[in-house]
């Protein structure tokens, strides 16, 4: 069994505010550490920075509920998630929250039946829900080969129940690049200091020789 050390470090002095050792991975750590930080600091008036390993919709939603702005690096999409032409990826479609519809680059409206599909995790628990958005116009669209790999149903856009929180984080990431670049210097510093105090100030390297 592996263990993970989660820490909260302040940006002004690079001093750890909190730590917790768990056997859970980073994807489910954000919300709990934010709650603890809010209790310790007695305020939600701070911004939390996380690397891409913490990017999970449900945890971003917890941050929004706590009214704590977070900036979580966005992991790259897998190849299977992309359209044949990247310009037609779903991120370039416009979402209309009032009508709960999407508008594609050709101006077509993608709507949903309102049914929530469920995605379960390895423990057979519901990890999150999503709705599908489609349009019958996709089947006769001139740019269909550029937009979707589906030969039957056409383009399907999935919108997670946590999409709003994911989009809010994306905006903060886009507008706070300079701030986010400080993350590594803030949070990694205490670990370097501890290692140095323990005289772990060198690494062992191995050299491999290959016969030609």
């Amino acid at each position: 069994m592996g263990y993970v050390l989660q820490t909260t470090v302040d940006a002004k002095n690079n001093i750890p505010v909190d730590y917790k050792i768990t056997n859970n991975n980073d994807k489910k750590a954000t919300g709990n550490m934010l709650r603890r930080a809010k209790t310790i600091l007695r305020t939600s008036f701070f911004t939390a920075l996380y690397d891409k390993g913490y990017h999970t919709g449900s945890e971003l939603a917890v941050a929004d509920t706590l009214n704590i702005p977070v900036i979580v690096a966005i992991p790259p999409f897998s190849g299977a998630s992309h359209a044949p032409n990247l310009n037609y990826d779903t991120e370039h479609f416009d979402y209309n929250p009032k009508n709960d519809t999407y508008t594609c680059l050709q101006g077509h409206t993608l709507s949903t039946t309102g049914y929530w599909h469920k995605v379960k995790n390895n423990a057979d628990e519901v990890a999150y829900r999503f709705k599908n958005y489609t349009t019958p116009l996709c089947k006769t669209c001139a740019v269909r080969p550029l937009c979707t790999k589906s030969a039957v149903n056409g383009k399907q856009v999935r919108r997670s129940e946590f999409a709003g929180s994911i989009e809010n984080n994306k905006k903060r990431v886009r507008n706070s690049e300079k701030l986010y670049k400080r993350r590594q210097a803030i949070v990694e510093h205490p670990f370097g200091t501890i290692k140095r105090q323990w005289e772990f100030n060198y690494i062992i390297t191995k050299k491999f020789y290959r016969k030609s």
Side-chain angles (χ1 to χ4, degrees):
M1 179 181 293
Y3 293 93
V4 178
L5 173 63
Q6 302 292 343
T7 63
T8 301
V9 183
D10 87 297
K12 183 178 180 180
N13 301 298
N14 294 346
I15 296 177
V17 175
D18 184 27
Y19 74 92
K20 184 175 178 62
I21 298 175
T22 74
N23 59 357
N24 297 319
N25 61 30
D26 294 342
K27 287 187 174 295
K28 288 294 184 180
T30 304
N32 185 42
M33 294 305 291
L34 286 176
R35 292 189 190 95
R36 292 167 62 95
K38 184 176 181 179
T39 300
I40 293 170
L41 300 175
R42 299 181 182 179
T43 181
S44 59
F45 191 68
F46 61 89
T47 299
L49 311 178
Y50 292 90
D51 66 34
K52 62 185 178 182
Y54 291 83
H55 193 279
T56 306
S58 58
E59 297 299 293
L60 292 172
V62 171
D64 283 349
T65 301
L66 294 172
N67 199 30
I68 299 174
V70 295
I71 301 175
V72 186
I74 303 170
F77 287 116
S78 64
S81 301
H82 287 297
N85 184 315
L86 300 186
N87 292 325
Y88 289 87
D89 277 355
T90 301
E91 64 177 298
H92 301 303
F93 288 22
D94 292 326
Y95 178 68
N96 185 331
K98 183 178 180 180
N99 299 325
D100 191 20
T101 59
Y102 276 92
T103 302
C104 72
L105 299 182
Q106 297 302 107
H108 300 152
T109 299
L110 288 77
S111 58
T112 176
T113 63
Y115 179 78
W116 286 102
H117 301 265
K118 298 177 181 178
V119 176
K120 295 186 177 182
N121 56 25
N122 294 333
D124 201 34
E125 301 169 335
V126 177
Y128 67 92
R129 303 179 304 161
F130 69 90
K131 290 189 288 188
N132 267 333
Y133 297 76
T134 60
T135 174
L137 296 176
C138 187
K139 294 182 179 181
T140 56
C141 183
V143 299
R144 176 175 172 172
L146 303 177
C147 189
T148 179
K149 301 172 186 176
S150 174
V152 179
N153 297 320
K155 185 82 165 187
Q156 291 189 25
V157 175
R158 286 187 174 188
R159 184 174 179 83
S160 160
E161 61 184 307
F162 306 119
S165 296
I166 294 172
E167 290 163 359
N168 289 338
N169 175 68
K170 186 176 181 179
K171 292 176 183 177
R172 289 190 293 266
V173 170
R174 187 184 301 119
N175 297 328
S176 308
E177 292 184 6
K178 186 175 181 180
L179 174 61
Y180 183 77
K181 288 180 179 179
R182 296 185 57 201
R183 185 205 66 83
Q184 189 172 13
I186 295 169
V187 75
E188 301 294 346
H189 173 77
F191 295 102
T193 301
I194 292 171
K195 290 177 182 178
R196 189 172 183 83
Q197 291 295 322
W198 288 347
E199 297 184 357
F200 293 157
N201 51 7
Y202 61 89
I203 60 173
I204 299 175
T205 60
K206 293 183 179 180
K207 190 171 183 179
F208 294 92
Y209 296 92
R210 184 177 63 180
K211 294 182 179 180
S212 58

